[in-house]
Amino acid sequence: MPRVRVTRRVHFAAAHRLGVAEWSEERNAEVFGDCSNPLGHGHNYEMEVTVAGEVDPETGFVVDLKRLRDLVQARVVDDVDHRNLNVEVPWLEGVNPTTENLVVAIWERLEDRLPPGVRLDRIVLRETPRNHVEYTGG
Ligand code: NI
């Protein structure tokens, strides 16, 4: 059976502040610049979640896209949309919410939740139209 990649794109808005808790304000300001503004700032995140699997000969699907949409919504978007990532998301507790750390945490929220035979292939997380990270696990 042919293996195909399927991508679902989602959006969320969130606030954060970058910094290392153990560091001084001065060092955080030096390393993270405006991103360590004590009162935070926001981003309109765009995320692409790609899964891969064999095309089911009956349905013609790799995965039911409604099921993928609902999974990403329930496991990620509902928790982070219009939230402060530093203080309101239990699974980001103690995490410096850089885009890199976020994409890894999001991966862990999704990877074991996919239907049998479907695996998480790649997540692209866009913090601004000019900056994005991608993660393929491991
Ligand atoms: Ni930021």
Side-chain angles (χ1 to χ4, degrees):
M1 276 292 122
R3 289 184 63 79
V4 175
R5 291 191 180 89
V6 175
T7 298
R8 170 79 185 167
R9 184 170 179 169
V10 300
H11 166 81
F12 59 91
H16 72 171
R17 179 201 181 188
L18 300 187
V20 175
E22 297 75 27
W23 290 2
S24 66
E25 289 297 319
E26 291 72 23
R27 188 164 178 207
N28 275 314
E30 193 180 302
V31 173
F32 297 107
D34 286 346
C35 293
S36 77
N37 169 27
L39 295 181
H41 63 277
H43 293 286
N44 285 308
Y45 291 93
E46 295 285 344
M47 180 167 72
E48 288 171 19
V49 176
T50 300
V51 302
E54 291 185 359
V55 178
D56 183 301
E58 254 185 341
T59 62
F61 292 160
V62 168
V63 65
D64 181 339
L65 267 172
K66 284 196 303 295
R67 193 165 166 185
L68 181 60
R69 179 194 67 193
D70 291 349
L71 176 75
V72 175
Q73 185 72 31
R75 294 286 295 168
V76 180
V77 177
D78 285 348
D79 287 347
V80 296
D81 192 28
H82 288 74
R83 302 290 172 185
N84 182 317
L85 302 178
N86 295 82
V87 294
E88 291 185 277
V89 183
W91 45 270
L92 291 176
E93 204 177 315
V95 174
N96 182 20
T98 62
T99 322
E100 292 90 330
N101 284 340
L102 274 180
V103 81
V104 173
I106 289 169
W107 180 280
E108 287 166 1
R109 295 287 294 166
L110 298 174
E111 75 169 324
D112 295 334
R113 300 293 175 131
L114 293 163
V118 180
R119 66 169 178 78
L120 194 52
D121 183 73
R122 183 174 82 137
I123 300 178
V124 175
L125 185 61
R126 242 170 263 281
E127 194 181 65
T128 76
R130 290 164 301 283
N131 297 331
H132 74 267
V133 299
E134 72 174 75
Y135 187 54
T136 54

